[in-house]
Amino acid sequence: MKKRAPTVAATPELPPEVRPGQSVELLKQLHILTRDGKLNQDSRRKLKQVYHLFQFIEKLLLELPASDTGPTLADHGAGKSYLGFIIYDLFFKALGRGTIYGIETRSELVASSQALAQKLGFARMQFLNLSVAESAQSDALPAQIDVVTGLHACDTATDDAIAFGLQKKAKFMVLVPCCQAELARALNQNKALNLQRTPLAELWRHPLHTREVGSQLTNVLRCLYLESQGYAVTVTELVGWEHSMKNELILAKYTGQKKRAAGERLLALLKEFGVEGLMAERYPLVALPLDA
């Protein structure tokens, strides 16, 4: 009587979204894939968003000149480091050099990311339990960083990421701002006075409009600031609105050509909206006119 051949379990087919050569274990550890290698709807949206952002960042990394140490990337407000892990897995791993720094204020997330990087053998990933502002003064980071990212860095953390990028002479900055509230608060403080001073104040008379105008104006000022400091800026959509409401993507590439006109318009907007008080803290490198 012939013995039956042992049954070999078929390798489960991965979802088409998973890229060739990508670490399946990483996607499972990030809870993007289930234990049996499936994607649920929420995970599919998250993965699509991170992949879309990776496409932009990969092009920037490929523009960097080759070096023995490889590129450096600082990911601010890293959270669970979805973005950093995906970038490392799809780019840095095969490159064999370069370092990613994940910067996060929540110590438990930093610890879990460190453990996961060690488990996966992602040796050139470092995780720092620091705020964005603190990281600019930390000896744990090199003096120069090639790429600075800030995915949904909340409120003024995006401004801190820009300040960090300027200090570190970043060649590229990739920012997805979130919850811009500082300027809305400043608009609220002088609302009655501004309503008397200019009809433009009607744009932020109602609280809902204050938040909307504050958010829009914040990002406009950030772009002008970057242009005044020698960056070419592109503003685009991250993914479709059905995937994320925090959808504005600011890409900045250092050219060294500082635009004086951008600085002048930034100052004019601050004055027009009655928020000159933000000048010193948020835009310190923009020269004030002599008659200011």
Side-chain angles (χ1 to χ4, degrees), residues 156-174:
T156 59
T158 296
D159 301 292
D160 291 336
I162 291 172
F164 174 94
L166 294 175
Q167 178 184 319
K168 297 294 187 180
K169 298 179 175 58
K171 296 180 177 68
F172 300 102
M173 298 191 215
V174 182

Side-chain angles (χ1 to χ4, degrees), residues 181-195 197 200-201 203-205 209-218 269-270 272-275 278:
E182 182 183 53
L183 200 144
R185 291 192 294 270
L187 290 173
N188 259 327
Q189 288 176 359
N190 301 312
K191 187 174 291 188
L193 178 62
N194 286 326
L195 281 167
R197 184 177 61 84
L200 280 177
L203 292 173
W204 66 92
R205 177 160 64 93
H209 294 160
T210 304
R211 291 196 300 271
E212 292 175 342
V213 169
S215 177
Q216 177 78 358
L217 181 58
T218 297
L269 282 174
L270 289 171
E272 185 64 39
F273 283 83
V275 288
L278 296 175

Side-chain angles (χ1 to χ4, degrees), residues 260 264 267 271 287-292:
R260 177 170 179 164
E264 291 173 346
L267 292 169
K271 183 176 180 180
L288 289 165
L290 294 177
D291 59 350

Side-chain angles (χ1 to χ4, degrees), residues 7-204:
T7 303
V8 178
T11 303
E13 186 175 342
L14 293 171
E17 289 87 352
V18 177
R19 299 188 175 192
Q22 188 163 11
S23 170
V24 174
E25 181 60 25
L26 169 63
L27 296 180
K28 288 182 178 179
Q29 291 292 327
L30 293 178
H31 303 292
I32 291 175
L33 287 178
T34 61
R35 290 181 180 179
D36 57 353
K38 304 298 182 184
L39 272 174
N40 62 38
Q41 195 60 34
D42 287 341
S43 296
R44 183 172 279 107
R45 282 196 296 267
K46 183 181 289 291
L47 190 60
K48 180 176 180 179
Q49 187 182 49
V50 175
Y51 274 165
H52 193 64
L53 189 54
F54 170 75
Q55 288 176 348
F56 287 105
I57 295 171
E58 181 184 32
K59 292 176 184 177
L60 305 182
L61 290 168
L62 290 170
E63 286 187 37
L64 293 171
S67 70
D68 293 336
T69 56
T72 51
L73 183 148
D75 181 26
H76 287 291
K80 295 179 180 179
S81 292
Y82 284 95
L83 179 62
F85 277 114
I86 295 294
I87 294 172
Y88 191 97
D89 190 35
L90 294 179
F91 188 88
F92 282 71
K93 186 170 68 175
L95 187 65
R97 58 187 184 278
T99 305
I100 292 180
Y101 300 89
I103 298 165
E104 172 58 44
T105 58
R106 289 166 287 183
S107 58
E108 70 277 9
L109 296 183
V110 172
S112 63
S113 293
Q114 288 172 335
L116 179 55
Q118 185 174 6
K119 179 178 181 179
L120 296 172
F122 289 5
R124 288 170 286 106
M125 290 191 80
Q126 297 185 27
F127 301 93
L128 306 175
N129 184 202
L130 299 168
S131 69
V132 183
E134 290 168 344
S135 67
Q137 310 304 323
S138 174
D139 293 335
L141 287 144
Q144 200 272 332
I145 293 286
D146 294 315
V147 182
V148 173
T149 63
L151 180 61
H152 298 164
C154 196
D155 197 11
T156 59
T158 296
D159 301 292
D160 291 336
I162 291 172
F164 174 94
L166 294 175
Q167 178 184 319
K168 297 294 187 180
K169 298 179 175 58
K171 296 180 177 68
F172 300 102
M173 298 191 215
V174 182
L175 308 165
V176 181
C178 178
C179 307
Q180 302 90 315
E182 182 183 53
L183 200 144
R185 291 192 294 270
L187 290 173
N188 259 327
Q189 288 176 359
N190 301 312
K191 187 174 291 188
L193 178 62
N194 286 326
L195 281 167
Q196 296 174 10
R197 184 177 61 84
T198 172
L200 280 177
E202 291 293 338
L203 292 173
W204 66 92

